[in-house]
Amino acid sequence: MLQRESSSACMSKYCEFLKTIFLAAVAATLLYACQKKDDTDPEFLSIRLNQNLLSDSSEVQAGNTIVMQLECSDDNGLNQLRIDVSSGLTTNFGTWQDFYVGELSGTSKTVSKVFQIPDTIEGDWQIDFDLIDDSGNQADTETTVLRV
């Protein structure tokens, strides 16, 4: 003869199972809520153009190259560096527009990027530097003007 558990024993096991599921869900919620939120922006430690520290403006010759060296840092992890070369709000002779996006990792990184300055341009060109961390926080945009 087949023995069966009593309905009260089944109900007790079912209640224990539900209790275990509930406690696991509460524990997971508490662990997620207690995680430290990253609200610290990444930062540029230094930006150099042809080995000179970034200033409001720099003079360069058409046809030459410019080496940009950027030291970046974030307490939790870097994600992306963007460099945007454009004519800005001034009238220039010739066309030069360049855009660089570099994926980053780690908490500290030095990036070197070489840009070729067209030999057919003259005027003021704006360069914007943007830095984003793994949490989506963004450093203040650094900007300089290149006089060609």
Side-chain angles (χ1 to χ4, degrees):
M1 176 171 216
L2 182 63
Q3 288 188 333
R4 297 180 181 215
E5 288 186 80
S6 69
S7 62
S8 63
C10 277
M11 188 57 98
S12 176
K13 286 183 180 181
Y14 180 70
C15 288
E16 281 298 315
F17 174 74
L18 288 179
K19 185 175 162 184
T20 303
I21 294 293
F22 175 76
L23 291 175
V26 168
T29 301
L30 288 174
L31 283 173
Y32 179 77
C34 291
Q35 288 180 346
K36 183 180 175 186
K37 184 177 186 295
D38 177 17
D39 56 2
T40 303
D41 293 340
E43 63 181 327
F44 291 107
L45 301 177
S46 71
I47 300 175
R48 294 180 179 276
L49 303 178
N50 289 341
Q51 300 183 350
N52 298 312
L53 283 174
L54 186 69
S55 61
D56 291 337
S57 67
S58 301
E59 285 197 27
V60 294
Q61 296 294 316
N64 288 346
T65 59
I66 185 166
V67 179
M68 300 177 191
Q69 187 173 30
L70 303 98
E71 290 182 71
C72 313
S73 176
D74 185 67
D75 59 342
N76 287 314
L78 296 163
N79 183 282
Q80 190 177 78
L81 168 67
R82 288 182 251 173
I83 304 173
D84 184 13
V85 179
S86 66
S87 60
L89 301 175
T90 63
T91 302
N92 296 307
F93 299 101
T95 302
W96 182 29
Q97 188 163 0
D98 215 331
F99 190 71
Y100 167 79
V101 177
E103 302 300 318
L104 305 177
S105 61
T107 58
S108 177
K109 193 77 165 181
T110 300
V111 177
S112 291
K113 180 68 179 146
V114 178
F115 285 93
Q116 178 67 44
I117 302 168
D119 59 2
T120 57
I121 66 169
E122 184 179 330
D124 292 342
W125 303 89
Q126 180 173 314
I127 303 178
D128 294 322
F129 303 92
D130 292 302
L131 183 63
I132 301 169
D133 71 10
D134 284 338
S135 298
N137 300 316
Q138 186 169 339
D140 291 336
T141 299
E142 296 288 339
T143 300
T144 191
V145 173
L146 283 184
R147 289 209 162 90
V148 182

